[in-house]
Amino acid sequence: SNRRSSSPAFDEPADMTLVHVTMTNNSALSFGGGILSLEPLTIIGSIIAGNTAGVGDGQDLHSNVGPGAEVTNSIVGIEERTLFTAASSGNLVGTVALPVDAALASLAENGGQTQTHAIGSGSPAFDMIPTAECDLSVNGADQRGAARPNGAGCDAGAFEF
């Protein structure tokens, strides 16, 4: 959980790719509570949800880049600017009126070297990514070191249930 005047997570001028990331409980006084992107952005198999921004749009994701972000097999809790095509890329995307609840547990010791937000068995992130589309470029493991996939598919985010 972070808070700052602009996006607490990433607002640096560089191309960025996020793979199996969970970004939640962050806030910004202005745009991009989760991510403010001023450069090309790629998000794969991630959860960007439960963040807040004080003014403007972009509670979870705000991008000022041409066609916006390239997002695949991810959950974005609130997306207000139609930055990408939600359903065609295996995404689950909410709106201000109907945000997506990723059903994440509080940050806790769940094994591994760092704390994680576990997903609940009822989370839409559970087995969200078909096995054939799992991005195993990060050692085929989640943030804790648990093998991916562990079920019918890979879970979105940093935690594999």
Side-chain angles (χ1 to χ4, degrees), residues 66-86:
E70 179 183 329
V71 182
T72 306
N73 293 324
S74 295
I75 295 172
V76 178
I78 298 174
E79 198 286 307
E80 302 167 71
R81 296 184 58 185
T82 315
L83 300 172
F84 53 91
T85 304

Side-chain angles (χ1 to χ4, degrees), residues 67-129:
E70 179 183 329
V71 182
T72 306
N73 293 324
S74 295
I75 295 172
V76 178
I78 298 174
E79 198 286 307
E80 302 167 71
R81 296 184 58 185
T82 315
L83 300 172
F84 53 91
T85 304
S88 67
S89 298
N91 299 309
L92 182 57
V93 180
T95 63
V96 173
L98 189 60
V100 173
D101 179 359
L104 298 172
S106 296
L107 191 62
E109 297 289 344
N110 292 306
Q113 296 181 359
T114 59
Q115 294 183 330
T116 54
H117 289 278
I119 61 170
S121 59
S123 172
F126 184 72
D127 287 344
M128 178 179 174
I129 307 165

